[in-house]
Amino acid sequence: MRRSRFESIGLWVAVILVSAFSLFPFYWAVVSSLKDPSTMFQVDYWPSALEWSNYSSIFKEQPFGRNIWNSLVVATSTVLLCLFVGVLAAYSLARVEFRGRGLLLALILAVSMFPQVAVLSGMFELIKSMGLYNSWGGLTISYMIFTLPFTIWLLTTFMRQLPRELEQAAIVDGASSWIVLTRVFLPLMGPSLVTTGLLAFIAAWNEFLFALTFTLTAEARTVPVAIGLISGASSFESPWGRIMAASVIVTVPLVVLVLIFQKSIVSGLTAGAIKE
Amino acid sequence: MSKNVILALTLLWATAAQAQKKTLSIACGAVGIEYELCKTASAAWSKRSGVTVKLVSTPNDTNQKLALFQQLLSAQSADIDVFMVDIVWPGVLGSHFEDLGPHLPASEKSAHFDNLIINDTVAGRWVALPWYVDTGVVYYRADLLKKYGLGVPSTWQQLSEAAKKIQDGEKKSDPKFVGFVFQGKAYEGLTCNVLEWTASFGGTAFVNSSGKVVANTPQNLEALKLAATWIGTIAPKGVLNYAEEEARGVFQSGGAAFMRNWPYAYSLLTSKNSPVAGKVGVMPTPKGGDSGKHSPVLGGWHLAVSKYSKNKPEAISLIRYLASEPVQRERIKHGFFPTLKSLYADKKVLASSPLFGVLATSLSTAVARPSQSTGTQYNRVSNEIWNTTFSILSGKEKAEDGLKALDRKLVRASRGGKWN
Amino acid sequence: MIENVALSERRRTAYLFLLPSLLLLVLVAAWPLLRTIWLAFTDASLSSESISWVGLENFKGVLTDPDWWHSVKNTLTFTFISVTLETVFGLGIALLLHREFYGRGILRAAVMVPWAIPTVVSAKMWSWMFNDNYGVINDVLQKLGIIDGPLAWMADDPTLSMAAVVVVDVWKTTPFMTLLLLAGIQSIPLQVYQSAAVDGAGGFRTFWKITLPLIKPALVVAVVFRCLDALRIFDLIFIMTNNSNDTATMSVYARNNMIAFGDLGYGSAASTLVFAFIALFTVMYVQASRLNLMGGSSEKVSL
């Protein structure tokens, strides 16, 4: 399709505007993080000097490295637990006929609609009574409430798309459900597991309210809480430079991850949204 | 293995277990000088007592701290043995703290300021040991007062006029210059500021000491009306988002003539790198008119022992040490003022910091926030106070309407004056 | 016969496979929710250990609290404005991405960046940009002559604060909308466009009469998901505006009462109401989508 000059220019303007709007805050965060704390109060569009003190201070003033590790551990264990439990559930929901199957799937999905506040106090009591307060386990378990439903739903959708013939053949050969699942389906589900795992990872990494409520010490916090609570050298200071530095540190790997796995993420987000 | 070896190993294990048994956890500040001081003092006690002390770092925002403490204590957790609590918290958290009465001699109790001890006594139980005291003060640019031929203001009205005169003059060379900065954000700090205005006019702290709601009084109205005129004239609109540090940032970079803040700012303002070093003066918070009084708000932090602690005797010993005279004396240098009457009679101490003189006179007329009478509801009450003040300052509500609404809301929260 | 036996064996295994998930969900979802609902009928508080039944008193308290209704209004306003903007922008960018042009990959990557950044980080970055004295937004607006003096975004005017929060949410979530809508657009078969072109339809008419109706299912799903998320919003408001009643949403109101004021019973009542609100909305959507799906499939595309 040929397009007019006017249309081309219009297109490019739109592209530049949209890209600029999307990326500017991140650029600004980087510029701000490289400023000396005493020059924070001036607006410079381009860094005049590169000052790395903000980056070193965040690691000195709080166990930020530890916080990153915590986030990694919690997000990874969330993903592993979700995938393991979810694959099993998805198999039942996608491949086995039983009464109330549709209703069950709808109910599971409904759980992800719960506002976090609605379960906050009950969850807190639960975590405390299981002795999981201020620990990785507490966060992993509590994250199930918003990661498990969509994991199951997504995996169910993916499984439904797998060819029936393979399954039929295996069943005729007398294979049990477990064999069918592990020997026949799982090998075919690589991409969908990656997609689902990624989305669950990002959701767990991003979570704030539960991490805020269920951890106590600075050493146990995850990254979002650590950033949200960054404080200055006295109880009152607002250390914007350090907040920006922490933000940059946390954002860069995530952005890289998302860019590498763009296609997977897109297919995950849109699967099931477009009903066949 | 021979019996002797087994016996030796068992004894060794038992001693090791014994030595490892006692660790105290204390929540006393998050970062900076506060944390450091607590750490050094705790370490000193640790050496004497042989008990390890672990400092638990908590969120910096006081509201978050309170929320955290409330959750922990209501779950009867033994995670923290010693809590550093804000002066307004004994009412809210008191039921979870150990009664110090039976454990400490009466002499130690009366060594601290009486009003602080009364503050820390909830339902007849003495639940916290005063550690340091804070009151609001007003910093001013002595050089600018001189330049414009003004004396140090003693009333809010005088301050407003002085601020306007200086602002008009300075704006010619610095368009961003403002007359007065304070804490106008919708948080506990605003409650502190507003009480300093109302009490200085002879008004109330919105709820009196017997729990009666007295928000809508003519003096309170006058104070709030005056404050509302400041926004956009001598105080920038942005002051409505300032906490302590934002205000200090403006004043310290030379952008304001007057600032209301806490004593902690003094050492920062007078430090080598400060643009206003050598130009700063301190005065008590102004009166509300000549017949008013200087009524800074009473702040400060105290130490309490959790009822659920597994190491109560050790914890009590730790707080007695931390609040003792030598430790309190040491902390004065860093801007943490003592709660012991004896130190205020000590001439050497008085001479050590110019702030001290201002503080000593302020303490006698300081106004306390209504935490005692409202008990567990204090946070809600403060919330209503700061939200009402905020909407009056931002021009959303007129002072008359705001106070009437506040009165209604507080009465509603008071559950018929019983509060709890 | 053998088939029946096999089927019931498979059913049994299916139930077994479902068990771990269901147990987990009961533990972390059903139990806490029920507990919160139960607490709503008591006077539980973080300050005291005694609990007693108070019936509907908490609910009455919440429903007669002007602050609660204010937060409801804030939530609905926020949802309406955010979701509308996100849908419009999302659609626009999706149409843009649908075209073939050099650099399309870069645009797609750029657009996904806001979505990748954790909410807390976005909130902090934008709060810094919106700072009244040192923020870049005021600087730019002043330099462009749009405003005279710095605006106190996060401070005095609740409209400005809400505007700031909406800007951040739109920035953050438009990518999600874009992707969903793009998938919808891309699933329209090329022939539809070709026959439209043959019949002489111009760009705008093609969009209005063909594209839009055909992506309606995707559009509806995207809008509903976003609405449900927006109604529950907490993180952004909490980090950016923290304490002011003016911008509190329902979730913030509930949490403040529960945790900040320690009023567990009252806060739980508010939380239960939030939950009921969302549930109602969900049910309405399900009903509407049932009707929609039946009506949609019989719709004919006409120029």
Side-chain angles (χ1 to χ4, degrees):
Chain A
M1 246 196 334
R2 274 185 305 119
R3 58 174 81 93
S4 67
R5 217 43 195 317
F6 181 67
E7 236 185 80
S8 278
I9 296 178
L11 192 70
W12 273 104
V13 167
V15 169
I16 292 175
L17 277 179
V18 170
S19 304
F21 185 62
S22 299
L23 297 173
F24 183 74
F26 185 61
Y27 168 76
W28 190 246
V30 173
V31 166
S32 302
S33 69
L34 293 171
K35 273 191 175 156
D36 186 275
S38 56
T39 59
M40 279 311 276
F41 301 121
Q42 297 156 250
V43 182
D44 298 317
Y45 287 90
W46 190 257
S48 46
L50 291 183
E51 178 69 50
W52 297 93
S53 63
N54 288 319
Y55 285 91
S56 48
S57 349
I58 29 171
F59 285 98
K60 269 195 291 209
E61 284 170 9
Q62 62 234 333
F64 199 60
R66 186 69 199 269
N67 297 140
I68 296 179
W69 178 245
N70 290 335
S71 274
L72 256 166
V73 171
V74 170
T76 310
S77 36
T78 304
V79 167
L80 291 176
L81 183 59
C82 260
L83 286 181
F84 178 65
V85 166
V87 161
L88 292 175
Y91 179 72
S92 312
L93 291 166
R95 290 307 214 199
V96 182
E97 303 273 343
F98 58 90
R99 254 212 329 240
R101 182 170 70 161
L103 182 62
L104 193 57
L105 193 56
L107 269 178
I108 291 179
L109 200 58
V111 167
S112 62
M113 311 297 180
F114 283 17
Q116 277 187 304
V117 262
V119 297
L120 196 62
S121 40
M123 191 78 89
F124 179 74
E125 279 180 352
L126 195 67
I127 300 277
K128 248 303 171 170
S129 63
M130 292 199 287
L132 291 175
Y133 184 70
N134 208 39
S135 73
W136 293 328
L139 291 181
T140 308
I141 296 279
S142 61
Y143 284 4
M144 290 294 113
I145 192 178
F146 57 86
T147 50
L148 195 53
F150 86 76
T151 299
I152 294 179
W153 187 55
L154 217 54
L155 288 176
T156 308
T157 310
F158 283 135
M159 260 199 219
R160 276 208 187 119
Q161 295 165 6
L162 293 177
R164 281 203 166 273
E165 304 76 48
L166 287 170
E167 192 192 356
Q168 305 283 36
I171 294 177
V172 162
D173 281 347
S176 70
S177 300
W178 178 255
I179 303 281
V180 174
L181 180 60
T182 49
R183 296 276 174 80
V184 180
F185 279 171
L186 228 39
L188 295 175
M189 289 189 71
S192 21
L193 288 176
V194 166
T195 303
T196 315
L198 262 173
L199 289 174
F201 188 87
I202 293 180
W205 183 276
N206 200 1
E207 203 281 329
F208 181 70
L209 182 56
F210 284 174
L212 177 71
T213 315
F214 301 151
T215 58
L216 165 65
T217 56
E219 291 78 21
R221 290 183 200 145
T222 55
V223 161
V225 179
I227 294 185
L229 299 180
I230 283 186
S231 49
S234 86
S235 350
F236 291 130
E237 284 176 32
S238 314
W240 280 110
R242 289 199 275 296
I243 295 177
M244 290 302 118
S247 303
V248 169
I249 290 183
V250 163
T251 307
V252 167
L254 270 180
V255 169
V256 166
L257 203 70
V258 166
L259 291 180
I260 295 178
F261 290 102
Q262 260 184 77
K263 291 226 162 69
S264 295
I265 293 177
V266 170
S267 77
L269 285 179
T270 57
I274 314 304
K275 307 213 167 60
E276 275 104 36
Chain B
M1 266 205 273
S2 79
K3 265 206 307 212
N4 285 334
V5 176
I6 297 177
L7 186 62
L9 282 174
T10 317
L11 276 177
L12 201 63
W13 172 83
T15 337
Q18 190 80 342
Q20 283 174 2
K21 205 167 59 176
K22 297 286 181 189
T23 309
L24 277 189
S25 291
I26 176 170
C28 61
V31 283
I33 191 66
E34 201 170 37
Y35 187 75
E36 289 305 319
L37 287 176
C38 184
K39 201 154 131 193
T40 359
S42 308
W45 177 83
S46 214
K47 258 214 233 108
R48 292 191 196 180
S49 63
V51 176
T52 350
V53 178
K54 196 173 76 152
L55 269 70
V56 177
S57 86
T58 47
N60 228 19
D61 185 322
T62 23
N63 285 346
Q64 307 248 15
K65 239 188 232 163
L66 178 62
L68 176 67
F69 289 177
Q70 279 195 304
Q71 279 170 211
L72 267 185
L73 291 168
S74 78
Q76 304 185 356
S77 144
D79 285 310
I80 301 184
D81 300 289
V82 176
F83 288 86
M84 183 177 87
V85 294
D86 196 349
I87 193 173
V88 288
W89 292 353
V92 180
L93 301 173
S95 61
H96 298 292
F97 293 144
E98 185 73 8
D99 187 349
L100 300 172
H103 302 281
L104 271 68
S107 58
E108 240 175 272
K109 190 175 186 178
S110 54
H112 297 271
F113 279 110
D114 297 327
N115 58 353
L116 294 178
I117 298 291
I118 295 177
N119 182 80
D120 290 350
T121 310
V122 177
R125 302 169 71 242
W126 177 29
V127 294
L129 195 53
W131 199 17
Y132 72 94
V133 95
D134 235 353
T135 67
V137 291
V138 172
Y139 297 89
Y140 59 88
R141 288 282 299 278
D143 59 320
L144 290 177
L145 281 183
K146 198 156 161 217
K147 179 172 168 190
Y148 291 87
L150 296 163
V152 176
S154 63
T155 66
W156 287 111
Q157 293 88 336
Q158 284 172 359
L159 186 145
S160 315
E161 282 161 20
K164 185 96 184 42
K165 193 153 174 212
I166 300 179
Q167 181 181 288
D168 289 339
E170 291 299 297
K171 258 198 147 84
K172 298 182 195 131
S173 45
D174 177 5
K176 277 197 179 166
F177 191 87
V178 289
F180 181 41
V181 288
F182 55 94
Q183 291 77 49
K185 185 171 164 183
Y187 79 125
E188 179 75 17
L190 182 55
T191 302
C192 294
N193 275 257
V194 73
L195 252 55
E196 284 171 358
W197 306 331
T198 57
S200 74
F201 276 81
T204 68
F206 300 100
V207 178
N208 71 13
S209 50
S210 36
K212 186 163 182 303
V213 175
V214 281
N216 196 3
T217 69
Q219 298 93 342
N220 288 2
L221 185 59
E222 198 184 338
L224 280 166
K225 270 194 171 144
L226 178 62
T229 63
W230 295 335
I231 312 295
T233 55
I234 56 169
K237 272 201 160 181
V239 86
L240 292 168
N241 203 25
Y242 287 2
E244 286 78 3
E245 272 305 282
E246 287 78 6
R248 180 178 75 86
V250 176
F251 187 80
Q252 188 157 334
S253 53
F258 293 92
M259 167 177 76
R260 182 273 174 203
N261 215 319
W262 303 95
Y264 87 97
Y266 188 71
S267 57
L268 294 162
L269 290 172
T270 52
S271 70
K272 278 195 310 244
N273 305 329
S274 161
V276 297
K279 305 184 190 162
V280 175
V282 193
M283 64 187 206
T285 58
K287 301 188 280 192
D290 289 313
S291 52
K293 54 186 179 121
H294 297 288
S295 60
V297 109
L298 193 60
W301 290 74
H302 303 193
L303 293 164
V305 172
S306 158
K307 211 162 74 173
Y308 319 109
S309 160
K310 301 232 162 63
N311 308 300
K312 275 188 256 200
E314 290 81 6
I316 293 180
S317 164
L318 173 61
I319 66 173
R320 287 174 74 181
Y321 175 75
L322 290 175
S324 63
E325 195 186 301
V327 179
Q328 288 207 14
R329 186 191 289 270
E330 176 62 32
R331 291 163 59 90
I332 298 176
K333 309 190 189 118
H334 305 275
F336 294 96
F337 294 102
T339 59
L340 293 167
K341 294 186 238 184
S342 56
L343 286 170
Y344 286 85
D346 190 328
K347 292 264 190 297
K348 263 202 311 189
V349 168
L350 280 177
S352 65
S353 150
L355 213 50
F356 213 71
V358 169
L359 204 80
T361 46
S362 296
L363 275 176
S364 44
T365 51
V367 62
R369 286 165 274 175
S371 55
Q372 261 249 289
S373 47
T374 56
T376 56
Q377 295 289 323
Y378 172 71
N379 212 4
R380 185 189 287 278
V381 167
S382 186
N383 199 286
E384 298 291 2
I385 294 176
W386 81 56
N387 270 308
T388 305
T389 311
F390 186 82
S391 73
I392 294 176
L393 290 180
S394 63
K396 245 185 56 182
E397 258 186 323
K398 298 236 297 275
E400 294 89 352
D401 304 324
L403 278 179
K404 278 205 204 100
L406 179 62
D407 202 277
R408 265 202 316 267
K409 287 192 190 164
L410 289 178
V411 168
R412 196 186 124 100
S414 75
R415 301 179 197 192
K418 258 178 12 121
W419 289 108
N420 296 300
Chain C
M1 237 322 237
I2 300 174
E3 229 178 56
N4 275 346
V5 166
L7 193 59
S8 56
E9 179 269 335
R10 276 164 59 73
R11 281 219 188 101
R12 267 202 306 274
T13 325
Y15 294 148
L16 201 64
F17 279 6
L18 273 173
L19 207 58
S21 294
L22 292 181
L23 278 177
L24 265 178
L25 286 178
V26 165
L27 183 71
V28 299
W31 165 249
L33 181 68
L34 291 173
R35 182 93 179 130
T36 302
I37 297 180
W38 181 78
L39 282 172
F41 291 100
T42 68
D43 69 350
S45 114
L46 288 180
S47 308
S48 76
E49 287 156 31
S50 63
I51 297 188
S52 50
W53 188 262
V54 295
L56 291 173
E57 204 181 287
N58 287 327
F59 287 99
K60 264 198 285 185
V62 175
L63 291 172
T64 55
D65 187 356
D67 287 336
W68 163 255
W69 290 111
H70 194 73
S71 74
V72 172
K73 192 173 91 129
N74 282 337
T75 314
L76 291 175
T77 314
F78 170 80
T79 304
F80 181 70
I81 299 181
S82 283
V83 178
T84 309
L85 287 175
E86 282 154 18
T87 311
V88 167
F89 289 151
L91 200 52
I93 300 179
L95 288 171
L96 204 60
L97 282 176
H98 184 55
R99 290 163 173 273
E100 299 278 339
F101 62 90
Y102 184 70
R104 180 166 83 160
I106 300 178
L107 179 64
R108 191 167 72 169
V111 161
M112 283 201 73
V113 165
W115 180 78
I117 301 181
T119 314
V120 173
V121 173
S122 306
K124 287 287 186 189
M125 288 192 320
W126 279 91
S127 290
W128 176 236
M129 285 170 52
F130 275 118
N131 190 298
D132 61 320
N133 270 336
Y134 318 120
V136 66
I137 292 186
N138 271 337
D139 201 65
V140 167
L141 288 178
Q142 281 183 275
K143 288 208 168 95
L144 289 178
I146 299 180
I147 54 175
D148 288 319
L151 284 179
W153 290 91
M154 310 310 302
D156 100 288
D157 194 347
T159 318
L160 276 182
S161 311
M162 184 57 88
V165 173
V166 166
V167 165
V168 183
D169 195 66
V170 167
W171 178 80
K172 204 185 159 352
T173 331
T174 301
F176 178 74
M177 288 299 260
T178 306
L179 292 174
L180 284 184
L181 295 175
L182 185 61
I185 294 175
Q186 285 174 337
S187 68
I188 299 177
L190 214 48
Q191 303 145 312
V192 177
Y193 286 120
Q194 285 166 346
S195 47
V198 162
D199 284 346
F204 188 68
R205 267 191 110 199
T206 314
F207 170 72
W208 196 251
K209 292 275 187 173
I210 299 182
T211 319
L212 208 49
L214 283 178
I215 60 169
K216 201 155 93 154
L219 197 61
V220 170
V221 169
V223 168
V224 167
F225 270 132
R226 271 307 303 152
C227 278
L228 284 173
D229 268 343
L231 287 171
R232 295 183 287 168
I233 187 133
F234 177 81
D235 295 2
L236 262 186
I237 310 266
F238 183 77
I239 303 271
M240 287 182 85
T241 65
N242 213 330
N243 267 323
S244 173
N245 266 354
D246 291 329
T247 48
T249 55
M250 297 189 296
S251 290
V252 172
Y253 176 89
R255 190 221 173 237
N256 273 349
N257 274 283
M258 249 201 296
I259 309 277
F261 302 159
D263 207 336
L264 221 44
Y266 189 84
S268 297
S271 302
T272 310
L273 285 175
V274 176
F275 174 71
F277 206 95
I278 307 275
L280 188 68
F281 189 85
T282 315
V283 165
M284 279 176 10
Y285 159 65
V286 169
Q287 295 289 61
S289 73
R290 276 221 197 103
L291 300 170
N292 224 10
L293 280 175
M294 304 224 296
S297 55
S298 58
E299 228 179 69
K300 295 268 195 314
V301 174
S302 59
L303 278 175

